[in-house]
């Protein structure tokens, strides 16, 4: 019966099928435009978006993007399969704000600002590692995997000092059912969770969930604006990446006949900086995250995963192929960036995509908010504590700094 249905599906004309399944399609009757009265003036609508002329290079636009997008929007930065045991962590820097993800003993994944609450020294200095106790090397403050302060030398006897109020600054974290990890740098206590139904719906049928295995990752920086990196999937050679891999185990003759088999690369974009791609005819997939460093520099992070039984030699071959292709794509993208017109409106090669328009709308909305409040609004910024106890602790810190300078001549950083 299934074979007969498959053959019938292939023989029927596409318009017939489209009309049969599209029950919601309705015909709309267009009415002729009404003539204007003598008191009405025609409304002129410009089809050209008001992009800044320095859309690809402006430092002021980049600073606005930091405030309007990256300090309050959910960002997909990792996957749960990168963390296997309590204490596993890895660090990242998002538009100048250092953060890290760590797996707690309770099995929950959390994110924190990588800044000690004592003197703002980095708590973690390695890119990746594992430890359930995180110690700052400046004055010895230590935190557990929950971000709680567990050791504070010289402060135990300070009147009014409360360890519970001096834990690491938490970053909003969300893990989808398929294991994709999102962070939101907004400093407010609560934020709306991200919409991940489309992502889990894409990942589930393709086996990209928690049953996958993290193979490894690579980070490369390139001289290019992050908004142009939204085109990197066009530069990455999907055909090259698809060859030489393991045949996907879910492929079947019936799916081939129905046109549903994985014969080409499949991908989904997670606004604003991440793409998930399933490699063609292979049991591998990867995430590519383009994190802005400055107006004209971007950090590319590629993480490779396997979603089936693979051997070591095959995995190494696929990993080398993906990394080499990423390097080639970045070089090509840098060349495009150097040659493209500064004004996005004068370039015929770079379409005004929905993503670019979405970025523009977010910038305009945030700029309107700042004009209403009469100041810059940086949602990720933490307000400093200013009270008598804070000033007492501040004086103690300054005294300790002077002692360090006299005894060590220079600070360890």
């Amino acid at each position: 019966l299934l074979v007969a249905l498959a053959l019938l599906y292939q023989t029927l004309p596409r318009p017939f099928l489209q009309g049969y399944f599209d029950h919601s399609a309705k015909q709309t009757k267009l009415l002729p435009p009404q003539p204007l009265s003598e008191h009405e003036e025609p409304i002129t609508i410009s089809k050209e978006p008001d992009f800044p002329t320095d859309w690809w290079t402006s430092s002021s636009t980049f600073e606005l993007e930091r405030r309007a997008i990256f300090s309050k929007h959910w960002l997909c930065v990792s996957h749960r399969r990168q963390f296997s045991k309590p204490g596993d962590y890895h660090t990242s820097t998002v538009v100048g704000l250092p953060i890290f993800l760590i797996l707690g003993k309770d099995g929950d994944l959390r994110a924190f600002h990588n800044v000690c609450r004592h003197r703002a020294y980095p708590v973690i200095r390695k890119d990746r590692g594992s430890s359930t106790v995180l110690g700052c090397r400046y004055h010895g403050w230590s935190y557990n995997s929950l971000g709680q302060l567990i050791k504070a030398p010289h402060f135990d006897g300070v009147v009014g000092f409360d360890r519970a109020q001096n834990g690491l600054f938490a970053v909003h974290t969300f893990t989808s059912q398929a294991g994709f990890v999102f962070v939101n740098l907004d400093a407010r206590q609560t934020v709306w969770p991200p919409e991940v139904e489309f992502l889990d719906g894409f990942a589930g049928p393709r086996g990209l969930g928690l049953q996958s295995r993290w193979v490894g990752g690579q980070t490369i920086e390139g001289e290019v604006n992050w908004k142009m990196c939204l085109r990197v999937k066009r530069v990455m050679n999907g055909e090259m990446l698809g060859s030489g891999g393991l045949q996907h185990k879910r492929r079947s003759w019936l799916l081939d006949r129905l046109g549903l088999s994985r014969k080409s690369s499949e991908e989904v974009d997670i606004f604003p900086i991440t793409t998930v791609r399933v490699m063609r005819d292979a049991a591998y997939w990867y995430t590519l995250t383009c994190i802005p460093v400055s107006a004209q520099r971007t950090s590319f992070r590629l993480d490779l995963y396997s979603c089936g039984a693979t051997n070591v030699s095959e995995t190494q071959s696929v990993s080398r192929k993906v990394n080499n292709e990423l390097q080639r794509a970045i070089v090509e993208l840098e060349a495009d960036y150097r040659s493209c017109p500064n004004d996005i409106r004068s370039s015929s090669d770079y379409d005004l995509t929905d993503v670019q328009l979405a970025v523009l709308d977010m910038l305009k909305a945030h700029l309107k908010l700042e004009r209403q409040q009469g100041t810059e609004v940086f949602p990720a910024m933490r307000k400093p504590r200013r009270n008598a106890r804070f000033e007492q602790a501040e004086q103690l810190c300054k005294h300790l700094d002077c002692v360090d300078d006299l005894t060590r001549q220079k600070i360890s950083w």
Side-chain angles (χ1 to χ4, degrees):
L1 178 60
L2 292 176
V3 172
L5 289 175
L7 294 176
L8 179 62
Y9 178 87
Q10 293 294 320
T11 56
L12 288 176
R14 298 300 180 191
F16 171 80
L17 291 175
Q18 183 177 3
Y20 181 79
F21 287 109
D22 189 8
H23 299 289
S24 61
K26 297 181 179 179
Q27 293 184 351
T28 303
K29 184 178 181 180
L30 298 179
L31 299 177
Q34 298 295 325
L36 296 174
S37 65
E38 59 181 5
H39 301 290
E40 293 179 327
E41 295 183 359
I43 300 176
T44 302
I45 300 177
S46 174
K47 295 182 179 180
E48 184 178 30
D50 48 350
F51 282 93
T53 56
D54 51 0
W55 182 248
W56 304 118
T57 58
S58 171
S59 297
S60 59
T61 299
F62 173 71
E63 290 301 322
L64 179 58
E65 291 164 353
R66 292 183 68 211
R67 304 191 302 272
I69 300 176
F70 296 99
S71 68
K72 63 179 182 181
H73 198 283
W74 285 101
L75 309 173
C76 182
V77 295
S78 187
H79 192 273
R80 178 63 175 78
R81 293 299 295 166
Q82 294 192 33
F83 306 85
S84 58
K85 63 181 182 298
D88 285 357
Y89 65 81
H90 71 77
T91 62
S92 180
T93 300
V94 181
V95 290
L97 300 176
I99 64 173
F100 68 91
L101 290 161
I102 186 169
L103 183 63
K105 292 183 178 180
D106 57 358
D108 289 341
L109 194 63
R110 296 176 176 85
F112 300 96
H113 286 275
N114 191 14
V115 177
C116 180
R117 291 293 300 276
H118 180 203
R119 299 298 283 167
Y121 189 67
V123 178
I124 299 177
R125 299 200 291 181
K126 296 193 301 182
D127 293 336
R128 189 177 296 270
S130 184
S131 177
T132 55
V133 176
L134 309 173
C136 176
R137 295 189 179 184
Y138 193 4
H139 290 121
W141 282 35
S142 299
Y143 307 85
N144 60 19
S145 60
L146 303 179
Q148 299 168 338
L149 179 64
I150 58 177
K151 181 181 178 182
H154 308 295
F155 274 77
D156 290 335
V158 175
V159 178
F161 178 76
D162 186 2
R163 288 187 182 181
Q165 300 299 320
N166 287 274
L168 295 173
F169 285 126
V171 175
H172 298 291
T173 313
F174 183 90
T175 303
S176 73
Q177 291 184 355
F180 292 93
V181 181
F182 293 77
V183 296
N184 190 323
L185 298 173
D186 198 320
R188 291 178 297 177
Q189 290 294 325
T190 58
V191 294
W192 287 102
E195 297 180 1
V196 296
E197 290 79 7
F198 77 99
L199 178 58
D200 287 340
F202 173 85
R206 295 165 177 82
L208 312 188
L210 297 176
Q211 67 272 28
S212 297
R213 181 176 65 89
W214 180 62
V215 174
Q218 182 183 26
T219 301
I220 305 175
E221 289 195 1
E223 299 291 338
V224 61
N225 182 269
W226 74 274
K227 296 187 295 295
M228 188 173 287
C229 297
L230 301 174
R231 299 176 56 254
V232 74
K233 61 183 180 181
R234 302 180 189 175
V235 184
M236 295 282 281
N237 192 331
E239 294 300 319
M240 180 181 296
L241 294 179
S243 60
L246 184 69
Q247 293 294 320
H248 200 272
K249 297 182 181 301
R250 293 183 177 84
R251 184 174 177 179
S252 68
W253 176 87
L254 178 60
L255 293 180
D256 284 342
R257 296 300 298 170
L258 293 176
L260 300 177
S261 64
R262 187 182 303 167
K263 292 184 178 180
S264 60
S265 298
E266 298 176 288
E267 62 189 22
V268 61
D269 292 327
I270 309 172
F271 184 85
I273 57 174
T274 303
T275 295
V276 180
R277 169 177 274 189
V278 183
M279 296 172 61
R280 181 178 64 87
D281 286 343
Y284 296 92
W285 59 280
Y286 65 81
T287 59
L288 179 62
T289 304
C290 306
I291 301 179
V293 177
S294 66
Q296 302 183 45
R297 190 169 185 83
T298 300
S299 174
F300 297 84
R301 174 67 189 184
L302 190 147
D303 287 288
L304 180 65
Y305 303 83
S306 66
C307 50
T310 58
N311 57 63
V312 176
S313 60
E314 178 190 63
T315 299
Q316 292 176 346
S317 175
V318 173
S319 180
R320 286 194 300 269
K321 188 176 298 184
V322 172
N323 291 333
N324 291 338
E325 184 62 19
L326 176 62
Q327 294 177 7
R328 184 202 63 80
I330 293 176
V331 171
E332 183 176 338
L333 206 58
E334 288 177 326
D336 290 345
Y337 181 63
R338 290 191 296 268
S339 62
C340 78
N342 194 29
D343 188 350
I344 187 175
R345 294 167 295 185
S346 62
S347 173
S348 59
D349 295 331
Y350 304 103
D351 299 332
L352 302 182
T353 63
D354 292 339
V355 176
Q356 301 290 341
L357 292 173
V359 172
L360 178 63
D361 289 342
M362 295 178 71
L363 298 186
K364 292 167 66 175
H366 192 81
L367 191 59
K368 180 179 179 180
L369 174 65
E370 292 183 336
R371 288 171 177 169
Q372 291 174 347
Q373 298 192 10
T375 184
E376 290 185 351
V377 179
F378 203 147
M381 191 65 64
R382 303 277 177 167
K383 295 182 179 180
R385 298 165 298 172
R386 293 296 176 185
N387 52 43
R389 292 179 179 177
F390 176 85
E391 295 298 337
Q392 180 184 8
E394 183 72 8
Q395 292 300 322
L396 176 59
C397 291
K398 291 181 179 180
H399 172 72
L400 293 175
D401 286 343
C402 292
V403 173
D404 287 338
D405 288 339
L406 292 174
T407 57
R408 294 183 298 177
Q409 298 300 320
K410 64 179 181 179
I411 299 176
S412 60
W413 65 46

